[in-house]
Amino acid sequence: MAGGTKALIFHLSDIHFGLVDQAAIDWTKAEIARMKPDAVAITGDLTMRARHREFDAATAWINSLEAPVTVEVGNHDMPYFNLFERFTDPYRRFNGMKDKVEAEIDLPGLAIVSLNTAPRAQPRWPWSYGFVTDHQLEKTLKAIDALPAGMKVAVACHHPLVEAGTRGKALTKGGNHALAELAKRKVVAVLSGHVHDAFDMVADTPNGPIRMIGAGTLSQRVRSTPPSFNELHWDGETFEVVVRNLEEVPTRDMQIDEVPEDAMPPREPDEPVAPVGRVPAEDPPVH
């Protein structure tokens, strides 16, 4: 369809059932019911430790949302305590919402296409880091190339597609190559999560720039900002990003300017911190 068609998309991430912020998810669900977005993109880490009870809670909550939903797989959603299941049937616990997992959402003039960055294993440790395999990238590129001419594309994934953090540590292996291939196809934005702080930045690639938009967390595991989600206003050509939070902190004060190595609170001077500076005194719980 022709450009100019408007849409409202809610971009959620890192809900971490098992350690949710109950007030934040109740408010988010109410906002979805009130504002009726055209789509909800959830970019992974639905659970804390992929326990059955956590997936049961996540499934019930996600299936109750009053909007089309697409769900990405996060590293926290892979079986932690059952390695046999992790290697033989890693998505079994998504069965209650399997119609939403990596589902393509086609809006007038805009498609949301999935890119899986959370493999069951990879040739480095920890496995929690992002990894864009050739297979997963090819799958995403085929989906993009199959879209009607003129259709704009946003790609949803869990890990930010960057390969070096503030201290040069590898993050998403294959991320730079993936960004270059997506830029070649004029993808309007890559939506991700994982780091628990929101961001909106542009990455340079050999094929031109590409926008990267990250959502914060709706859990108790905050990094330097209170729980939040992104409200994405599509005008037919680009996104306006509003970082929504219960404390009404302005969007720019909620966004970091560089992708950190992980979601742990910044403890060193060179680690990126959002202007709001809501860094917890102690590291967040992990169990």
Side-chain angles (χ1 to χ4, degrees):
M1 292 188 177
T5 303
K6 295 182 179 180
L8 174 63
I9 298 167
F10 278 19
H11 173 201
L12 285 51
S13 202
D14 298 81
I15 306 173
H16 288 298
F17 277 90
L19 279 172
V20 293
D21 185 302
Q22 194 63 47
I25 66 165
D26 289 348
W27 163 72
T28 300
K29 181 177 176 178
E31 286 300 281
I32 291 171
R34 181 180 71 87
M35 298 185 68
K36 296 178 171 52
D38 298 286
V40 175
I42 304 178
T43 51
D45 278 3
L46 313 182
T47 67
M48 189 58 214
R49 285 288 180 259
R51 296 178 175 93
H52 288 287
R53 63 179 180 270
E54 295 171 353
F55 264 105
D56 289 345
T59 298
W61 190 82
I62 289 169
N63 286 342
S64 74
L65 299 179
E66 300 175 29
V69 179
T70 182
V71 171
E72 294 305 307
V73 177
N75 53 282
H76 277 259
D77 302 323
M78 304 295 283
Y80 265 67
F81 307 114
N82 186 334
L83 287 180
F84 179 79
E85 183 179 321
R86 185 181 183 111
F87 283 95
T88 62
D89 195 3
Y91 306 126
R92 177 192 297 177
R93 301 181 193 197
F94 283 94
N95 279 348
M97 59 176 114
K98 61 184 177 181
D99 59 317
K100 299 175 177 65
V101 177
E102 299 182 356
E104 179 180 313
I105 293 183
D106 296 317
L107 303 172
L110 176 70
I112 303 174
V113 175
S114 169
L115 172 61
N116 188 315
T117 62
R120 66 194 75 185
Q122 57 181 291
R124 62 172 178 165
W125 186 260
W127 289 346
S128 60
Y129 284 130
F131 196 126
V132 182
T133 65
D134 291 341
H135 169 72
Q136 293 295 349
L137 180 58
E138 181 181 1
K139 180 180 174 182
T140 298
L141 297 179
K142 283 184 176 179
I144 294 172
D145 293 343
L147 292 170
M151 180 77 87
K152 306 288 187 180
V153 184
V155 169
C157 55
H158 177 60
H159 298 83
L161 299 182
V162 292
E163 292 202 40
T166 52
R167 300 189 218 174
K169 193 172 184 178
L171 291 179
T172 300
K173 187 171 179 60
N176 288 346
H177 174 60
L179 283 172
E181 288 300 311
L182 298 178
K184 185 186 295 184
R185 287 159 174 81
K186 309 301 181 185
V187 167
V188 295
V190 178
L191 312 179
S192 64
H194 186 60
V195 298
H196 293 202
D197 281 334
F199 59 83
D200 186 358
M201 57 187 73
V202 175
D204 293 322
T205 82
N207 299 319
I210 188 165
R211 191 175 182 184
M212 301 189 303
I213 298 173
T217 182
L218 289 172
S219 76
Q220 301 174 45
R221 304 188 73 242
V222 295
R223 184 180 178 277
S224 72
T225 56
S228 68
F229 68 88
N230 285 340
E231 191 179 287
L232 306 179
H233 296 264
W234 173 252
D235 67 2
E237 294 294 331
T238 190
F239 287 115
E240 176 193 357
V241 180
V242 179
V243 181
R244 298 288 308 282
N245 60 94
L246 275 168
E247 301 180 32
E248 299 186 359
V249 178
T251 292
R252 191 62 195 92
D253 289 345
M254 289 286 290
Q255 294 172 328
I256 51 176
D257 290 326
E258 189 174 357
V259 177
E261 292 178 5
D262 56 39
M264 298 302 290
R267 302 300 181 201
E268 301 296 332
D270 61 345
E271 294 181 288
V273 180
V276 69
R278 201 67 56 83
V279 180
E282 298 180 357
D283 288 349
V286 296
H287 298 296

